[in-house]
Amino acid sequence: MRSKFLIVAILGVLVGGLSALLVDPNARRALLGSGPPVSTGKALIGGPFSLIDQNGRRVSERDFIGRPMLVMFGFTTCPDVCPAGLQVLTAAIERLGDAGKAITPVFVSLDPERDTSPKLKDYLSSFHPSLVGLTGTTEEVAAAAKAYRVYFKKVADEKGIGYTIDHSSFYYLMDRTGVFVTHAPHSTSAEALAVRLKSVL
Ligand code: NI
């Protein structure tokens, strides 16, 4: 009787271990020593870009070295997500007082067809005065979005006469050397965003 229980117990451990191997990639890797590393994706966000700012100047990621950057992607005719995000970004920087002046907030257009430099300049004047608006050619904008792993897609609007842009909406925080620190969903409060900004000051 006793050995039967023992066999059942050993089988139980084996089955449990095997299912852990099937479910958990880290356990599988640790035990089998194979398979691709499980990446956090941290270092894969950001990188080189070449775009035009709201004053018509060409800029690259090198122009921002020395200052932490808070980056957001969107488009000026976005009905609510982008304006709400820009309001939160503005409020978060304002919460930091004078220290907030060290941050460069950046809004990258995903709609270069309609978002010219003058249009960005006019649009951003409703938000934080430090905001840098960036646009460029379709290819340049696509390359910047790809570097930041931003999803966007042009879709016909409801009336079918124009188009709108579906896009992911995160804040990306880069440190003063241009290295990605963290990202936050657009639902983040100004208070919570300010805490993250403080971490790079
Ligand atoms: Ni938007």
Side-chain angles (χ1 to χ4, degrees), residues 10-126:
I10 289 168
L11 276 174
V13 168
L14 280 175
V15 169
L18 274 174
S19 23
L21 274 180
L22 290 171
V23 171
D24 182 359
N26 283 317
R28 193 166 53 222
R29 208 156 50 90
L31 285 159
L32 305 179
S34 64
V38 181
S39 171
T40 60
K42 233 188 166 186
L44 301 173
I45 291 176
F49 61 78
S50 179
L51 294 163
I52 306 288
D53 74 9
Q54 75 269 42
N55 297 310
R57 283 185 297 239
R58 179 155 292 274
V59 295
S60 79
E61 76 292 346
R62 290 186 299 274
D63 294 295
F64 298 90
I65 299 293
R67 295 164 63 80
M69 234 195 327
L70 181 61
V71 189
M72 219 189 114
F73 286 75
F75 63 114
T76 65
T77 40
C78 180
D80 44 37
V81 173
C82 290
L86 285 165
Q87 269 166 13
V88 167
L89 171 150
T90 300
I93 296 172
E94 280 170 355
R95 287 183 85 93
L96 301 174
D98 267 0
K101 288 179 183 161
I103 307 266
T104 302
V106 179
F107 181 77
V108 185
S109 173
L110 295 169
D111 187 10
E113 261 178 73
R114 293 182 295 199
D115 289 345
T116 58
S117 291
K119 196 168 176 192
L120 273 175
K121 190 171 188 166
D122 179 53
Y123 177 70
L124 294 176
S125 66
S126 310

